[in-house]
Amino acid sequence: MRLLFVILIFLSSALAQPARRAIPDAGANLPSQPIGRNDLISVYVYDAPEFSRTIRIGADGYFALPMLKQRLLASGLSPAELEASISTALRQEQILVNPFVTVTIAEFHSHPITVSGSVRLPTVFQAEGPTTLLEALSRAQGLTADAGREILVSRPQSGPDGKVVMLTRRISVRSLFDDANPDLNLTLTGGEEIRVPEIGKIYVVGNVKKSGAFPVQDGVDTTVMQMLALAEGLTQFSTKQAFIYRKEASGNKNEIVVPLDKIMKRQAPDVPLTANDILY
């Protein structure tokens, strides 16, 4: 009888215990990427549904929780650091004794990476974690056939006066893709602008067998004779002169006379051309 009495007391005590509510799984935090302005965060305070909500971080980096007198800073903090900050504020204002807080980043809006230029799909995406340059180019579906020899990567840096400036680094396409140089596969964290300039072209028109726009590589000498070879030579109606129309950096347009007949007879030196020249 004594054993039966003990069992009944144990069962009645267990049934009287209130059921503990499970803490919802809000998803994985991303400690490698700090919270930024305009990001969307999910805040869950255990056993305090009035504080649990989705909040958009303000443009100043702060946000507000109900019943808290102070607005809390979120920009620049990791989810774990913001959890500690919210817990401290709830204790200091004597709202909760020992709060258990979980913060999850629901949407990033403060770490954009822009990929533009000679790529198949120009895009802007949020860096939810460290991203490499090759991964960013893959999101843009790679380079197009008219891509140049360099990739320009601009990233924000704090200047000596505290202002944010964009510093640009030139990455060789050949070294990145063909040589697979790991030092050029930069790690991106957000705020970077990746531009792939189009390869330069020289336009050949007039009395040639094949008019068109012919690609030229930066830093490689290109001459009138080379362009005529690409244009498959002159027609029978060609004259003794040719003209180069060139737009200078100042915006002025120049016409340069080319002694074509003398060049063909090796009586005058070949004339160099630059990208965007028109050879007529």
Side-chain angles (χ1 to χ4, degrees), residues 222-228 244 258-260 262-264 266-273 279:
T222 305
T223 66
V224 169
M225 293 297 290
Q226 289 175 331
M227 286 296 104
L228 289 180
I244 298 172
V258 179
L260 191 59
K262 291 183 178 181
I263 294 175
M264 299 285 287
R266 301 177 63 183
Q267 296 175 353
D270 202 354
V271 179
L273 298 169
L279 176 61

Side-chain angles (χ1 to χ4, degrees), residues 46-102:
Y46 178 66
D47 266 346
E50 64 274 18
F51 297 107
S52 302
R53 60 193 58 221
T54 301
I55 304 170
R56 177 77 63 186
I57 306 302
D60 58 356
Y62 286 80
F63 72 100
L65 275 179
M67 299 176 63
L68 276 179
K69 297 178 183 179
Q70 57 179 321
R71 297 177 73 232
L72 301 179
L73 176 66
S75 180
L77 300 180
S78 68
E81 291 171 335
L82 185 55
E83 290 169 357
S85 177
I86 296 174
S87 298
T88 300
L90 291 172
R91 284 196 301 269
Q92 287 179 347
E93 297 193 17
Q94 299 181 353
I95 298 174
L96 295 176
V97 177
N98 189 24
F100 182 85
V101 181
T102 300

Side-chain angles (χ1 to χ4, degrees), residues 178-192:
D178 297 344
D179 300 340
N181 188 342
D183 295 333
L184 300 181
N185 191 18
L186 305 179
T187 300
L188 313 174
T189 57
E192 292 87 358

Side-chain angles (χ1 to χ4, degrees), residues 107-129:
E107 292 179 2
F108 276 111
H109 288 271
S110 60
H111 301 281
I113 295 177
T114 303
V115 187
S116 60
S118 295
V119 292
R120 290 189 174 89
L121 182 66
T123 184
V124 179
F125 65 94
Q126 295 292 324
E128 298 182 356

Side-chain angles (χ1 to χ4, degrees), residues 94 99 131 143 197 229 242 271 275 278:
Q94 299 181 353
T131 303
L143 307 183
V271 179
I278 299 175

Side-chain angles (χ1 to χ4, degrees), residues 1-13:
M1 292 294 294
R2 177 178 292 181
L3 179 59
L4 180 60
F5 180 72
V6 171
I7 292 174
L8 290 174
I9 292 177
F10 174 77
L11 290 175
S12 62
S13 176

